[in-house]
Amino acid sequence: MRSRIVLAGSALVASLLLAGAPLPAAAGARAHAVGPYKVKALRVISGPSPFGAGCPGARFDDQTIPGYELEPMVTVNPANPRNIVAAWKQDVGSANQTRSDLVASSLDGGKTWTRRTIPGLTVCTGGSADAGSDPWVAAGGDGIVYFSGLAADLSTDPPTTAVVASRSGNGGRSWRRVTTVAAPLQGNETDSVTASPTLAGHAYVAWANFVVNPPRTNTLEFSRTTDGGATWSPSVLVDQPGPFQIDQAPRILVLPGGTLLAVYRARRLRDRTRFDPCSALAG
């Protein structure tokens, strides 16, 4: 639930890009135009908070700041490059608590946008978690768009967070109720989701789980779905650094041939050394 990106004025904006050359198209589809790019226009896609009445029942809701937004993420649907989906944290508070993550989607290359909530993510959207965080979106070659994030219980310090996921089959216009990928634990952080460009219904989530008490360390974990996000596999250990070492911000890359590559940042805390290892996983 760390704060990563701050936007001036706390409004999320998207730029519409002009392009000239053709984009690689999905099998059987016509080519799409790409680069060289230039910014044509900026559009606010977040707008006023949809939670004007607050979220009664959520801990520390009175400390949230309506309209304060952080941690934007964006993806383009490879099955339809005019379909763009963004996500962000909505109504962040002084202790980085967030009423919910939101998503917005465009079906016309960024000219117009429609906002949606993720059902069941937090109290604000019909769930039980006090806060959402760490939103991530990715689209697969089959056109399914996936969301991953954290659902946080703020009754503990640090918060107890579950890694959750949702999916949209219509370009981000509607979303399924969240499914738990990793059970609530203190220390679950920095999730990301990657959708397969070739295998229909396949997507992969990676996250870190930090040990609360010294010596500071963590694990990197991985889960996958093969049924379009209906279910997720038990977690698999990607890496376990030693004491006073941490792995951060894992990302799953799908290589040609289907091999999965986990890329992350490793840090030795005592001498502040940083390096960027990777691990190969079976698809």
Side-chain angles (χ1 to χ4, degrees), residues 65-234:
I65 304 170
Y68 188 37
E69 299 139 356
L70 293 175
E71 300 187 18
M73 175 60 189
V74 66
T75 191
V76 176
N77 193 335
N80 175 15
R82 293 184 63 77
N83 178 205
I84 309 169
V85 181
W88 63 91
K89 293 169 56 168
Q90 180 70 46
D91 296 357
V92 183
S94 57
N96 205 28
Q97 70 274 23
T98 304
R99 282 178 170 157
S100 189
D101 298 334
L102 290 188
V103 290
S105 60
S106 173
L107 299 176
D108 54 13
K111 292 181 181 179
T112 59
W113 293 81
T114 300
R115 291 189 302 168
R116 291 289 185 266
T117 59
I118 301 294
L121 178 60
T122 68
V123 170
C124 277
T125 61
S128 59
D130 299 310
S133 191
D134 293 32
W136 204 270
V137 285
D142 57 359
I144 296 176
V145 185
Y146 295 90
F147 164 91
S148 73
L150 301 179
D153 177 351
L154 300 182
S155 66
T156 62
D157 186 17
T160 302
T161 52
V163 180
V164 298
S166 179
R167 60 155 281 179
S168 172
N170 57 3
R173 287 314 204 230
S174 62
W175 295 84
R176 290 185 180 177
R177 190 173 181 86
V178 293
T179 300
T180 299
V181 178
L185 287 172
Q186 287 183 306
N188 281 340
E189 284 271 9
T190 61
D191 63 276
S192 67
V193 63
T194 300
S196 173
T198 56
L199 295 176
H202 283 57
Y204 316 100
V205 172
W207 68 96
N209 179 259
F210 293 96
V211 174
V212 176
N213 299 316
R216 184 76 184 273
T217 186
N218 71 291
T219 59
L220 288 187
E221 317 241 357
F222 165 90
S223 177
R224 73 172 183 173
T225 180
T226 59
D227 55 14
T231 60
W232 292 84
S233 69

